[in-house]
């Protein structure tokens, strides 16, 4: 496979250079908005329950339906951007996200809200691969690292501050209607992103032939595979009994069928996803690190929110504030990591993973015998340390993973990377959440014990990502010395 990284020249002078960074800014705002909606709605669940009389199953679909459709469309949407132009895909995705945010905020019944969230998640899945693909297209070398550093900061902050912003909006809007503002806040941001995205993001070059078909069989096989793998994970709490887990091997069979189909299809036409990308060590190990890290990383906030709000009785706003040190550390380190990743490579990611592990272990240690009222103060420094480490993982790993991906495959390559991260997040929340609740039952309702046990599992998962990073580091050194 050719590793030619550019399909069109990048002008880095004068107004064109400023236009690239402005376009990136618009993309980051949209990415922040869509990723924020993964976690911000969690704190609004009690208000939604009271306002529209939703059942536990309804509430689960409000939360997990978004994640499901988000992960489902990432690769096809990335391929669509590669084939038909990222500007069009981005603007359509943001516009649809904005409309469905308004519909979600106006919901009068659980069914209305669930339908809006499903389409909203799909719209988010259309937007995000365009941002990564745009960075691949517009930036080179150290500048690409800086751009991915800003994207990494966006990912880290949006994940960590969702509970804080959600709690703040509910506090301002009131218990009865504050949850609606969690959705309405997207509307002005979305409108602005549509207008500026159309003006600033480059269109597909005029006269460039559209030779790319969108491989409907590949879309169907991948969609079925991802759905069957994700569905039991996101519905783990509502679907009783072990039968749901049988869907995962069935989903893996469909994913294997997708791989065989893509291999055959690539002999005749451009496939939905070029499997030859997995011949690149940087892409394969980077995707594995992303999948495993997000399994541990996302679960941290899930169990901490349960611990703080349900176990210790803190408000949504207070629980969000307690996570803020992680978000601040992640933002600061992401900007630095993006600037130096081209100099240090994968060892930087390994160092970041080690710092995350140490920070979370310190969290477990400081909470061993702590009074409940001291939890936000005691966890501030360990969370800050873990956030600093996380900032050296997400952005640098994304930069390195996509570094050898040719620009014509940038969207689908980024989409597959993010699909792995969504699957990892769902699997991590399922596994770590299951341990949390089993420990809670086994300890007679001791939330502190349940939190420490489940946090240790999250640390173990992140340690597996560290092992993968070290394997990549050693393989790289072995290659350079031979």
């Amino acid at each position: 496979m050719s590793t030619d990284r550019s399909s069109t020249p990048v002008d880095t002078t004068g107004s064109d250079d400023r236009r690239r960074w402005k376009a990136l800014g618009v993309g980051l705002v949209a990415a922040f908005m869509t990723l924020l909606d993964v976690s911000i709605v969690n704190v609004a669940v009690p208000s939604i329950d009271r306002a529209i009389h939703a059942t536990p199953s309804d509430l689960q679909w409000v939360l997990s339906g978004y994640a499901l459709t988000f992960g489902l469309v990432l690769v096809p949407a990335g391929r669509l951007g590669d084939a038909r132009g990222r500007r069009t895909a981005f603007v359509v995705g943001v516009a649809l996200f904005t409309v469905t945010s308004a519909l979600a905020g106006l919901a009068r019944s659980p069914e209305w809200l669930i339908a809006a969230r499903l389409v909203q998640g799909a719209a988010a899945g259309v937007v995000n691969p365009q941002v990564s693909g745009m960075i691949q297209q517009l930036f080179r070398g150290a500048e690409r690292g800086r751009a991915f550093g800003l994207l990494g900061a966006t990912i880290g902050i949006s994940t960590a501050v969702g509970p804080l912003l959600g709690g703040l909006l509910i506090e301002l809007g009131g218990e009865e209607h504050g949850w609606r503002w969690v959705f309405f806040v997207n509307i002005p941001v979305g409108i602005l992103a549509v207008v500026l995205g159309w003006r600033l993001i480059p269109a597909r070059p005029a006269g460039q032939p559209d030779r790319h078909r969108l491989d409907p069989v590949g879309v169907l096989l991948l969609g079925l595979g991802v759905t069957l793998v994700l569905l039991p994970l996101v519905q783990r709490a509502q679907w009783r009994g072990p039968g749901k887990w049988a869907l995962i091997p069935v989903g893996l069979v469909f994913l294997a069928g997708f791989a065989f189909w893509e291999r055959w299809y690539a002999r005749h036409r451009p496939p939905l996803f070029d499997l030859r990308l997995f011949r690149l060590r940087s892409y394969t190990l980077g995707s594995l690190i992303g999948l495993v890290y997000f399994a541990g990383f996302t679960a941290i906030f899930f169990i901490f929110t349960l611990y703080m709000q349900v176990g210790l009785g803190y408000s949504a706003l207070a629980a969000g504030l307690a996570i803020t040190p992680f978000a601040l550390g992640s933002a600061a380190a992401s900007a630095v990591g993006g600037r130096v990743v081209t100099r240090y490579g994968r060892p930087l990611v390994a160092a970041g993973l080690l710092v995350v592990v140490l920070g979370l272990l310190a969290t477990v240690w400081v909470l061993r015998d702590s009074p409940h009222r001291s939890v936000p103060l005691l966890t501030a420094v360990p969370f800050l340390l873990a956030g600093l480490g996380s900032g050296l993982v997400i952005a640098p790993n994304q930069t390195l993973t996509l570094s050898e991906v040719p620009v014509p495959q940038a969207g689908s390559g980024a989409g597959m990377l993010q699909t792995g991260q969504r699957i990892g997040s769902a699997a991590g929340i399922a596994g770590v959440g299951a341990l949390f609740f089993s420990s809670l039952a086994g300890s007679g309702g001791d939330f502190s014990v349940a939190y420490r046990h489940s946090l240790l599992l999250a640390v173990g998962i992140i340690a597996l990502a560290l092992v993968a990073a070290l394997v990549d580091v050693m393989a790289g050194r072995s290659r350079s010395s031979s």
Side-chain angles (χ1 to χ4, degrees), residues 293 351-363 385-386 389 458-464 466:
Y293 180 68
L353 288 164
L354 179 60
V355 172
V356 174
V357 168
L358 293 175
L360 296 179
L361 288 176
T363 304
L385 180 64
V459 172
I461 294 170
I462 293 171
L464 293 177
L466 174 58

Side-chain angles (χ1 to χ4, degrees), residues 260-303:
F260 282 113
W261 169 262
E262 293 298 284
R263 188 182 297 275
W264 176 84
Y265 192 83
R267 299 173 187 168
H268 309 280
R269 294 170 184 156
L272 176 65
F273 176 78
D274 194 336
L275 293 172
R276 291 176 296 177
L277 290 179
F278 286 120
R279 296 178 186 175
L280 304 172
R281 192 185 83 237
S282 60
Y283 187 81
T284 301
L285 279 174
S287 297
L288 177 62
I289 291 168
L291 185 152
V292 177
Y293 180 68
F294 269 76
F297 163 72
T298 312
I300 294 167
F301 307 107
F302 173 69
I303 59 175

Side-chain angles (χ1 to χ4, degrees), residues 18-36:
R18 290 191 296 272
R19 185 186 181 93
R20 289 185 304 133
W21 289 102
K22 289 178 181 178
L24 174 62
V26 174
L28 294 179
V29 168
F32 179 85
M33 179 175 63
T34 58
L35 292 169
L36 186 70

Side-chain angles (χ1 to χ4, degrees), residues 416-441:
M416 186 63 77
L417 172 63
Q418 293 179 34
T419 299
Q421 292 171 356
R422 299 274 71 81
I423 292 174
S425 295
I429 290 174
V432 175
L435 179 59
F436 181 92
F437 290 115
S438 64
S439 296
L440 189 64

Side-chain angles (χ1 to χ4, degrees), residues 27 58-59 79 130 191 223 228 303 308 318 341 398 414 436 441:
D58 294 331
L59 294 172
R79 191 72 189 100
Q130 315 312 327
I191 292 172
L228 291 171
I303 59 175
M308 291 287 288
V341 63
Q398 186 147 331
F436 181 92

Side-chain angles (χ1 to χ4, degrees), residues 132-431:
S132 297
M134 183 168 59
I135 292 174
Q136 290 285 95
Q137 177 181 341
L138 298 181
F139 300 94
R140 302 286 180 269
E143 279 194 330
R144 181 179 288 178
R146 287 177 57 197
F148 272 121
L150 294 172
L151 178 59
T154 301
I155 295 170
I157 294 173
S158 63
T159 303
V161 305
L164 171 61
L165 291 181
L168 183 61
L169 287 169
I170 291 171
E171 192 82 13
L172 294 173
E175 282 293 318
E176 184 177 355
H177 297 294
W179 69 272
R180 298 186 185 277
W181 289 101
V182 167
F183 300 109
F184 287 152
V185 73
N186 294 329
I187 297 173
V189 180
I191 292 172
L192 188 62
V194 166
V195 174
L196 294 179
W198 188 259
R199 289 183 57 189
L200 296 173
I201 296 174
R204 189 162 56 93
Q208 178 178 310
D210 183 6
R211 298 176 291 101
H212 303 292
R213 300 189 182 184
L214 296 182
D215 185 8
V217 175
V219 171
L220 179 63
L221 290 171
L222 180 63
L224 287 171
V226 171
T227 300
L228 291 171
V229 169
L230 281 177
L231 201 54
L233 295 173
V234 300
Q235 286 289 297
R236 68 199 178 282
Q238 300 304 318
W239 290 3
R240 305 296 180 184
K244 61 179 176 289
W245 302 116
L247 292 178
I248 292 181
V250 177
L252 294 176
V253 169
F254 275 102
L255 292 178
F258 167 74
F260 282 113
W261 169 262
E262 293 298 284
R263 188 182 297 275
W264 176 84
Y265 192 83
R267 299 173 187 168
H268 309 280
R269 294 170 184 156
L272 176 65
F273 176 78
D274 194 336
L275 293 172
R276 291 176 296 177
L277 290 179
F278 286 120
R279 296 178 186 175
L280 304 172
R281 192 185 83 237
S282 60
Y283 187 81
T284 301
L285 279 174
S287 297
L288 177 62
I289 291 168
L291 185 152
V292 177
Y293 180 68
F294 269 76
F297 163 72
T298 312
I300 294 167
F301 307 107
F302 173 69
I303 59 175
F304 188 72
T305 300
L306 288 174
Y307 175 47
M308 291 287 288
Q309 291 186 247
V310 182
L312 304 185
Y314 282 87
S315 68
L317 181 58
L321 285 169
I323 299 173
T324 302
F326 190 105
L328 294 175
S330 179
S334 291
V336 175
R339 290 177 182 272
V340 301
V341 63
T342 53
R343 185 188 311 170
Y344 295 106
R346 194 71 72 185
L348 181 68
V349 176
L353 288 164
L354 179 60
V355 172
V356 174
V357 168
L358 293 175
L360 296 179
L361 288 176
T363 304
V364 175
W365 186 77
V366 300
L367 293 178
R368 66 196 186 285
D369 294 312
S370 61
H372 291 175
R373 65 181 178 275
S374 304
V375 168
L377 292 176
L378 290 171
T379 58
V381 173
F383 271 174
L384 177 63
L385 180 64
L388 290 169
S390 185
L392 298 179
V393 175
I394 296 176
N397 184 65
Q398 186 147 331
T399 303
L400 296 169
T401 304
L402 299 176
S403 61
E404 296 182 88
V405 175
V407 169
Q409 283 84 48
S412 56
M416 186 63 77
L417 172 63
Q418 293 179 34
T419 299
Q421 292 171 356
R422 299 274 71 81
I423 292 174
S425 295
I429 290 174

